[in-house]
Amino acid sequence: MEISEAVDSYLAAKTRLSPRTQEWYQQKLVVFTAWCEGQNLTLESLRQAHVRKFLDDAANRNNPYTAASISSYTCTAMRKSLRAS
């Protein structure tokens, strides 16, 4: 199964959450999904080490809108969204 399919299923199951909270999760998980696709990962091949690598990579990225480093808030938000899913 593709990770994007799993993320879509997860988000579809979260209808009890507010639309803003659903959007918050989607924003973070889309970044993770894109990273996984770039690494040629599937849900079956995904391991904890991959998630750690993603979080390390995310912490060292620049914000695409401001070119500044990603904030610690954004890194924490990504970690929380992955933990919840």
Side-chain angles (χ1 to χ4, degrees):
M1 174 184 271
E2 295 296 320
I3 293 173
S4 60
E5 294 174 48
V7 167
D8 290 343
S9 294
Y10 171 76
L11 293 171
K14 296 298 180 184
T15 56
R16 64 178 175 76
L17 300 174
S18 74
R20 181 71 181 125
T21 301
Q22 290 177 31
E23 180 182 337
W24 185 88
Y25 278 110
Q26 183 177 20
Q27 289 172 343
K28 303 331 177 250
L29 294 173
V30 162
V31 174
F32 178 68
T33 300
W35 183 88
C36 289
E37 288 173 354
Q39 303 293 314
N40 295 319
L41 295 171
T42 62
L43 192 60
E44 294 80 15
S45 67
L46 185 64
R47 301 288 178 258
Q48 187 176 18
H50 296 120
V51 175
R52 284 192 204 115
K53 176 75 170 126
F54 164 75
L55 292 171
D56 287 343
D57 287 354
N60 294 314
R61 288 178 29 172
N62 287 338
N63 183 316
Y65 302 108
T66 65
S69 296
I70 296 286
S71 72
S72 60
Y73 170 80
T74 301
C75 290
T76 300
M78 286 186 184
R79 187 173 292 110
K80 285 181 179 181
S81 66
L82 290 173
R83 187 178 310 136
S85 52

